[in-house]
Amino acid sequence: MKRAVYPGSFDPVTFGHLDVIRRASEVFDVLIVSVLNNKVKTPLFSVEERVKILKDATKGIPNVEVDSFTGLLINYAAEKNIHVAVRGLRAITDFEYELQIAQTNRKLSGGNLDTIFLTTSLEYAYLSSSSVKEIASFGGDISQCVPEFVAKMIYEKYHIL
Ligand code: PNS
């Protein structure tokens, strides 16, 4: 069984993430999408909310599981006996950051955790969770960025609906 983890903040999940999830689910037998519980960042959605959103958004993909983790990805992956992480690459600007994380994880795990990159589909290359939040906070249209139920939840957070 080929299993992989797709780690991220997913605050909130966007169509770009969902595109990576769908495509990675076709490459691996099981894909675990795991939300980082990052104590340093102040997220818009709690980890529990993000897990619930991801479960709802991926319910049509049977080999996708949703989970959360705290601490180092290499430790979480080792616990789950997973040796591949999946990440999306939007543009060259992502590359340096992603390369550093991937190499750190490979080194720290003693070669036990490799990273596979999927290039984001062009129509989502401009998308980021941060820009979605910024647009929504000013009442802008995010219907092309996130599923409708997620958009509604974001506007509610900003007291816009
Ligand atoms: O969606 P994001 O915020 O770009 O995801 C970043 C993430 C969660 C993949 C990365 O920050 C991570 O794996 N953090 C867990 C802590 C860790 O393992 N750090 C070592 C790599 S430098």
Side-chain angles (χ1 to χ4, degrees), residues 7-10 17 34 36 38 41 69 71-74 87 97-98 100-102 104-105 108:
S9 302
F10 305 108
H17 296 128
S34 203
L36 172 67
N38 187 344
K41 283 190 189 172
F69 73 104
L72 291 179
L73 178 65
I74 54 160
R87 293 283 289 170
Y97 169 69
E98 294 294 341
Q100 190 188 14
I101 295 184
T104 304
N105 284 336
L108 277 182

Side-chain angles (χ1 to χ4, degrees), residues 8-9 34-40 43 47-48 50 68-71:
S9 302
S34 203
V35 178
L36 172 67
N37 189 355
N38 187 344
K39 302 256 159 40
V40 181
V47 172
E48 294 73 24
R50 283 178 272 161
S68 62
F69 73 104
T70 309

